[in-house]
Amino acid sequence: MNKKTRNIIIIAAIVIVVVAIGGYQFMKSYMGNKVAIEQVIPAATSTESSATASGASATGEQLNGDWKINTDASKVYFSVTTSQETVNFVDNKVTGNWNINVDDPTKMVAEGQIDMSAIDSGTAQRDEHVKGADFFDVAKFPQATFKATSFEGLPTTWTEGATNDFTMKGTLTVKGIAKDVTVAGKAVYKGGQILLSGTTTVTFEDFGMKNPHSVVLSTQNDIGVQLELTLDK
């Protein structure tokens, strides 16, 4: 091998390395997580149960009735875990209500709607892809909805500032496909508002979507759904 050929090979190798590094950095920027989940229930509050809290008891008059989601303070998150990290999507266009009856939970009803066009991961190109026909198909299905069918575990007496753990079962509808889900929830009555946090898990297949697995990035089938809601009476 002459010197000229060797130099060409070295230069080509350098170019390949530079392109590979640049491609990796671009992929990391495009695919990386840019959304932090903001919890409506502070960490210190979430560990304080009604049994340990020192606040005053909230009466049925304060709790019972129709509560509406505060659209300025409520968000829903979708999370997908890849071989690199967990990527969060946030949607801040959430509406709905929860009719509370602490004396008879069987009479409680709740429903919510999410404007799917507001999904945001911090990367415009990725968001447009997710909103497209391969995934949420927002042009055809602009809303996702949830309707609760039962509540379990809520006490008849709440203590202001204390966390009440409960289970909420219901139907989540995305892309016109209904799926029964169970939400692990926490509710806090504080300052005349109800703070509600809830989590559940669905899969791509549940709503007719394919796992976006590729040769450079593997993706888990589960999609985490997290509600972070503030409700006003």
Side-chain angles (χ1 to χ4, degrees), residues 16-91:
I16 291 171
V17 170
V18 170
V19 170
I21 293 173
Y24 172 77
Q25 292 299 330
F26 172 78
M27 183 185 73
K28 187 175 181 180
S29 173
Y30 174 76
M31 296 181 178
N33 181 50
K34 299 180 179 180
V35 173
I37 295 178
E38 300 174 3
Q39 297 182 330
V40 296
I41 301 176
T45 303
S46 66
T47 60
E48 189 173 21
S49 67
S50 296
T52 60
S54 58
S57 295
T59 65
E61 183 179 355
Q62 291 172 296
L63 295 170
N64 292 340
D66 195 44
W67 293 79
K68 295 189 180 299
I69 291 174
N70 184 321
T71 56
D72 295 325
S74 301
K75 297 176 181 178
V76 173
Y77 296 89
F78 303 93
S79 300
V80 177
T81 299
T82 72
S83 53
Q84 295 286 334
E85 61 186 325
T86 297
V87 177
N88 301 319
F89 297 79
V90 62
D91 195 311

Side-chain angles (χ1 to χ4, degrees), residues 158-190:
W158 295 22
T159 301
E160 180 151 3
T163 299
N164 301 288
D165 295 317
F166 69 101
T167 300
M168 176 171 59
K169 294 183 179 180
T171 303
L172 177 64
T173 302
V174 179
K175 295 182 66 176
I177 301 171
K179 169 70 176 178
D180 290 337
V181 297
T182 298
V183 177
K186 296 179 180 292
V188 174
Y189 175 76
K190 186 177 182 180

Side-chain angles (χ1 to χ4, degrees), residues 14 16 39 55 58 63 77 104 125 133 140 142 144 153-154 166 172 176 209 232:
I14 292 172
I16 291 171
Q39 297 182 330
L63 295 170
Y77 296 89
D104 187 355
Q125 187 177 357
K140 188 174 181 181
L154 281 171
F166 69 101
L172 177 64
M209 297 182 288
D232 298 315

Side-chain angles (χ1 to χ4, degrees), residues 135-147:
F135 292 98
F136 289 119
D137 200 0
V138 172
K140 188 174 181 181
F141 303 99
Q143 274 196 341
T145 63
F146 174 78
K147 187 171 184 178

